[in-house]
Amino acid sequence: MLHNLGKQFLSKPADTTANLHQGRYQAAIRLMERNIHRHELDATAIATGIGCSRTRLYAAFAQQNTSVMQTLREIRLQRTKSLIEQTPQLHLGALSWRCGFTDQSSFSKLFKARFHVCPSEWHKHVWSRTNLSPSPL
């Protein structure tokens, strides 16, 4: 797929690298979203999954001013936040595991650092607004 993307832009050599980086970046994002539950998902697995080297993967993310693992962590955190908002009785341990976090304590710290509220507090806040009583987490 990425090989063909490069062929499309042979008439514009200066843009080829930027377009390849953009294609790799988008392919990596899609792969992360589809495999968010895989705990072993890392830069090597992502690079292999989209058919490029880790160096090229890192370059594609650097062009976006981010890193592979920072982006993966953000996708995981956004997914857990969304699941908290959709599920009144989901246990936080199960939720964090389902989104690729292996340690609930680390997940809670990352969630609080990102959203400035603990996951359980966010759950209570969301479900108290809906006039449904949240279950204990």
Side-chain angles (χ1 to χ4, degrees), residues 51-114:
C52 73
S53 69
R54 282 186 325 178
T55 303
R56 291 179 189 252
L57 179 68
Y58 292 143
F61 278 79
Q63 186 183 35
Q64 302 295 323
N65 296 318
T66 189
S67 73
V68 176
M69 296 314 289
Q70 183 179 15
T71 303
L72 179 59
R73 186 173 28 254
E74 179 65 19
I75 290 170
R76 284 181 166 156
L77 288 170
Q78 291 294 338
R79 177 76 54 90
T80 56
K81 184 174 183 255
S82 175
L83 287 174
I84 288 171
E85 294 167 355
Q86 297 170 15
T87 312
Q89 298 182 3
L90 188 60
H91 184 273
L92 281 180
L95 172 103
S96 62
W97 182 261
R98 202 164 114 185
C99 293
F101 293 100
T102 56
D103 178 35
Q104 183 180 344
S105 176
S106 296
F107 157 71
S108 293
K109 288 176 187 174
L110 288 169
F111 190 96
K112 184 169 185 172
R114 172 63 178 87

Side-chain angles (χ1 to χ4, degrees), residues 86-88 123-135:
Q86 297 170 15
T87 312
H123 183 265
K124 288 175 188 173
H125 170 74
V126 167
W127 289 99
S128 66
R129 290 186 325 198
T130 63
N131 295 324
L132 297 175
S133 58
S135 65

Side-chain angles (χ1 to χ4, degrees), residues 19-69:
N19 288 319
L20 284 172
H21 284 326
Q22 182 63 28
R24 287 184 188 109
Y25 176 78
Q26 292 299 324
I29 296 293
R30 284 191 302 273
L31 185 130
M32 288 177 193
E33 289 171 345
R34 283 192 317 263
N35 294 284
I36 202 74
H37 61 282
R38 290 182 46 207
H39 302 110
E40 71 280 1
L41 194 61
D42 62 5
T44 301
I46 294 165
T48 300
I50 65 169
C52 73
S53 69
R54 282 186 325 178
T55 303
R56 291 179 189 252
L57 179 68
Y58 292 143
F61 278 79
Q63 186 183 35
Q64 302 295 323
N65 296 318
T66 189
S67 73
V68 176
M69 296 314 289

